[in-house]
Amino acid sequence: MMGLSAGLKPNTNKGGALTMKFKQSVGQNQRIERITSSHLVVGIDMAKETHVAQATNFRGIVLSNRHFSFKNTHSGFETLKRWMDELQRKHRLKGLIIGMEPTGHYWNNLANWLVAQGQNVS
């Protein structure tokens, strides 16, 4: 059916009206509900050598001029932290939510480093 995105399943009600069923887990919904207007939301694309991060507000509006690339090293992680801290100060955001896709094993070092810094990682 044209116009359907991944994650949506067509369903017809009584009377033939078309509705959509969203496939989201309870855990995923709970994570989404944690996001408030005081959060910086950072999504990170993981790679072997260089990761790429983008920051948005709770509505998904991009808050940085461009994405932020950083090395998969301790010093790269520190530059990410400084970038996130600066965006939080600039936009007066108190909370931070970090999400990353666990690609292979490349995410392990960053996730462990962020947890050691007291950050929650999704």
Side-chain angles (χ1 to χ4, degrees):
M1 174 178 230
M2 205 165 135
L4 292 181
S5 300
L8 300 178
K9 182 179 177 184
N11 189 24
T12 53
N13 289 351
K14 294 178 185 174
L18 184 65
T19 62
M20 298 294 154
K21 286 187 178 180
F22 291 90
K23 294 181 181 179
Q24 291 184 335
S25 69
V26 171
Q28 186 177 21
N29 287 337
Q30 289 172 342
R31 287 189 295 273
I32 291 169
E33 289 172 354
R34 288 188 336 207
I35 302 170
T36 69
S37 60
S38 67
H39 278 100
L40 175 67
V41 181
V42 176
I44 303 173
D45 183 26
M46 309 305 293
K48 182 177 182 178
E49 295 179 12
T50 304
H51 305 314
V52 179
Q54 186 59 277
T56 68
N57 68 9
F58 75 108
R59 291 185 174 167
I61 297 171
V62 175
L63 299 178
S64 58
N65 293 335
R66 60 184 309 259
H67 64 270
F68 181 76
S69 297
F70 61 100
K71 296 289 183 191
N72 189 12
T73 62
H74 188 266
S75 63
F77 304 160
E78 290 173 347
T79 61
L80 170 69
K81 174 112 174 63
R82 285 192 297 271
W83 178 75
M84 293 186 300
D85 289 345
E86 178 58 31
L87 285 172
Q88 282 186 283
R89 274 191 297 278
K90 180 179 178 181
H91 297 283
R92 299 183 196 140
L93 300 170
K94 295 180 181 172
L96 176 63
I97 295 180
I98 302 168
M100 62 180 78
E101 184 176 0
T103 305
H105 63 278
Y106 303 133
W107 62 278
N108 284 330
N109 291 337
L110 177 58
N112 290 329
W113 187 86
L114 289 166
V115 168
Q117 302 299 310
Q119 298 297 327
N120 287 325
V121 180
S122 298

